Amino acid sequence: LSASPRVVALLLSLLGLAAAGKLLVVPVDGSHWLSMQEVVDMLTQKGHEVVVVAPEVSLQIKPSKNLVMKMYPVPFTQEEMDEVFKGSVKNLFEGGPFLERVIRQYQQAKKTSALFLATCTHLIHNKELMRYLEESKFDAILTDPVLPCGAILAEYLSLPTVNFLQQIPCGLEYQATQCPNPPSYVPRVFTDLTDRMSFLQRVKNLLFEIPNFFLCDMVFNPYAKLASELLKREVTVPDLLRQGSIWLMKLDFVLHFPKPLMPNMVLVSGVNCAYKKLNQ
């Protein structure tokens, strides 16, 4: 080392450059952003250059002095967005027979997905913003794949993807990672089953899986069409999600039933709630 101090100094300076990265963040609005924001804030504090791309109208994603935010216009107002999400929350807490709940969720999902699709479409078609993203030479993209807009951008910009999520409708994260997700073992939403099921309960669990295929077609097919137009080739949403490098899963086996995982699926726990000071 003493024989070549200039070389050591040069290597140390390069190490300093390698310690920080340039990260593009494509979040999903609502509660999904609350826990991701904490991660993004921490990355910024550690010296990483972070750019968040978000619509001008949103529930939780607001401009911050701690973050570089690239905002883009969308074709709806704050009042229209608030009305759609109030309907979603109301539906979650309403009871009723299974079929009635499925139909209600399907109708509400159409309204919500149309809102999110419009948001993604206006991002993809914003030529000035897309030119900026191309020229910025990011190292990676951090996104919530519950909606695949970030996955579309990652494929278009040829960036490695870090997915930060709890779950994706219809279990697409398991299809994308080729992770086992058998209905005979992993309980489905709305079943109120555990990971210990009798034979008839396993049959019920399988039947509850069927409506997911129709729901996913309605929600995700427009994104596949949007991605195909941008990439100039035919792609599906699972094709896009398969490019994910790391899946940071906001799960733990205290609140969730055990299930198979793949090596690049990392449990990080966490909640989708804002922190508030509670009284005694």
Side-chain angles (χ1 to χ4, degrees):
L1 291 177
S2 60
S4 53
R6 292 182 181 178
V7 174
V8 174
L10 176 61
L11 291 175
L12 288 176
S13 66
L14 292 175
L15 182 62
L17 290 174
K22 193 170 185 180
L23 184 68
L24 173 62
V25 178
V26 184
V28 171
D29 197 10
S31 60
H32 295 264
W33 169 241
L34 296 176
S35 51
M36 179 180 278
Q37 185 178 13
E38 289 190 38
V39 176
V40 171
D41 286 339
M42 195 172 296
L43 289 170
T44 302
Q45 293 169 19
K46 290 182 177 293
H48 299 284
E49 184 180 349
V50 178
V51 176
V52 180
V53 175
E56 291 177 350
V57 177
S58 64
L59 294 174
Q60 301 287 350
I61 310 172
K62 305 300 179 184
S64 169
K65 62 180 181 181
N66 300 323
L67 298 173
V68 176
M69 302 197 76
K70 294 294 181 180
M71 315 293 284
Y72 58 93
V74 286
F76 49 82
T77 65
Q78 188 70 55
E79 291 73 21
E80 290 171 333
M81 169 172 265
D82 292 343
E83 184 179 349
V84 169
F85 277 88
K86 284 178 182 177
S88 297
V89 173
K90 181 181 177 182
N91 275 336
L92 286 175
F93 289 97
E94 285 187 358
F98 169 70
L99 184 59
E100 179 185 325
R101 282 187 292 165
V102 169
I103 294 173
R104 197 168 62 233
Q105 286 288 90
Y106 178 81
Q107 293 171 340
Q108 189 61 44
K110 286 180 67 175
K111 297 178 183 178
T112 308
S113 61
L115 204 71
F116 281 122
L117 179 63
T119 301
C120 186
T121 301
H122 278 70
L123 167 57
I124 298 299
H125 290 165
N126 190 315
K127 295 182 179 179
E128 183 180 347
L129 180 54
M130 291 293 285
R131 189 181 308 113
Y132 163 80
L133 298 179
E134 290 176 30
E135 296 172 352
S136 295
K137 305 299 180 183
F138 292 98
D139 296 309
I141 184 169
L142 173 67
T143 187
D144 187 329
V146 68
L147 293 172
C149 200
I152 295 172
L153 278 180
E155 183 70 13
Y156 179 71
L157 299 172
S158 300
L159 293 175
T161 310
V162 178
N163 291 313
F164 186 76
L165 74 155
Q166 187 174 66
Q167 61 182 10
I168 306 179
C170 315
L172 285 186
E173 67 268 40
Y174 300 103
Q175 182 180 343
T177 57
Q178 296 184 317
C179 180
N181 187 35
S184 60
Y185 178 72
V186 181
R188 278 10 185 194
V189 178
F190 294 139
T191 60
D192 297 323
L193 297 172
T194 72
D195 56 320
R196 298 175 181 271
M197 294 178 268
S198 66
F199 173 75
L200 290 179
Q201 286 174 327
R202 295 177 199 277
V203 172
K204 173 186 176 182
N205 202 44
L206 180 61
L207 293 176
F208 271 56
E209 176 79 344
I210 296 174
N212 283 338
F213 295 106
F214 303 103
L215 178 65
C216 277
D217 284 345
M218 182 269 294
V219 172
F220 291 118
N221 276 350
Y223 288 95
K225 183 178 179 182
L226 182 63
S228 299
E229 292 173 357
L230 178 67
L231 300 172
K232 310 298 184 189
R233 56 186 171 84
E234 200 71 27
V235 294
T236 66
V237 170
D239 290 337
L240 297 169
L241 295 177
R242 286 189 191 103
Q243 307 305 317
S245 302
I246 299 293
W247 296 72
L248 301 179
M249 313 289 292
K250 292 183 287 183
L251 302 174
D252 60 64
F253 292 153
V254 175
L255 296 176
H256 301 88
F257 295 113
K259 60 182 69 176
L261 296 173
M262 297 301 278
N264 63 338
M265 301 171 81
V266 183
L267 297 182
V268 295
S269 191
V271 292
N272 286 342
C273 299
Y275 283 103
K276 294 183 178 181
K277 185 176 181 181
L278 302 178
N279 59 31
Q280 200 60 30

